[in-house]
Amino acid sequence: MAEKTSRGAGFSDEEKAAMKQRADELRATKGLKGAAKLAKELEACVTTIDELDGIDGEVARMTHRIVSEEAPDLAPKTFYGFPAYARDGKVVIFVQPKSKFDTRYPTLNFDETATLDDGSMWPTSFAIVEVTSEVEARVRELVRSAVD
């Protein structure tokens, strides 16, 4: 788990870095519109994925490929430094690498705009410790459900 700042309260150094990264993301696309903004966001997403190693990179590459195939209307971008996919500017899916906050595993996350609703309770975050054909099939199913 991320350690707190030296005063013991407030945001951890990792959380502060993520917030700074988000501010940088917003500044990078300020003033851009349409295709230019989408191209800049795609470039940032691909660069972020390329920088990930091990299971983080495997999960991010798998997710990018599956979203591209199953939900091509979602626009790749970054979200607090995470590879993410959005519709109308709102994040639907994002990958949180384990290296970002020194956690045990990367997670595939679905924001509230994802339509995974299933009764009174449903998961929106999935830990992935290995990319297998079964995992790929489940992610593909989740992505399709998230955008229906």
Side-chain angles (χ1 to χ4, degrees), residues 2-113:
E3 291 190 29
K4 293 292 180 189
T5 59
S6 59
R7 291 184 298 242
F11 295 108
S12 69
D13 292 339
E14 291 87 354
E15 290 166 330
K16 288 178 185 177
M19 289 185 282
K20 182 184 179 312
Q21 214 163 2
R22 181 66 181 141
D24 291 345
E25 291 165 3
L26 294 171
R27 273 192 292 279
T29 58
K30 187 175 182 178
L32 296 177
K33 294 187 189 313
K37 182 175 182 180
L38 292 174
K40 185 75 167 177
E41 290 175 334
L42 171 61
E43 178 184 353
C45 183
V46 170
T47 298
T48 297
I49 292 169
D50 288 345
E51 292 171 352
L52 295 172
D53 295 323
I55 189 66
D56 288 344
E58 289 178 47
V59 170
R61 284 186 294 279
M62 171 197 64
T63 302
H64 187 76
R65 180 174 34 79
I66 289 172
V67 170
S68 297
E69 293 168 1
E70 299 294 337
D73 60 314
L74 294 183
K77 61 185 294 170
T78 54
F79 179 64
Y80 292 93
F82 306 141
Y85 304 87
R87 178 185 287 145
D88 300 326
K90 295 185 185 226
V91 171
V92 179
I93 302 167
F94 67 96
V95 175
Q96 182 176 321
K98 72 181 197 144
S99 59
K100 188 72 169 179
F101 294 111
D102 194 26
T103 57
R104 238 176 40 163
Y105 42 74
T107 57
L108 178 63
N109 302 274
F110 295 85
D111 211 334
E112 67 181 44
T113 57

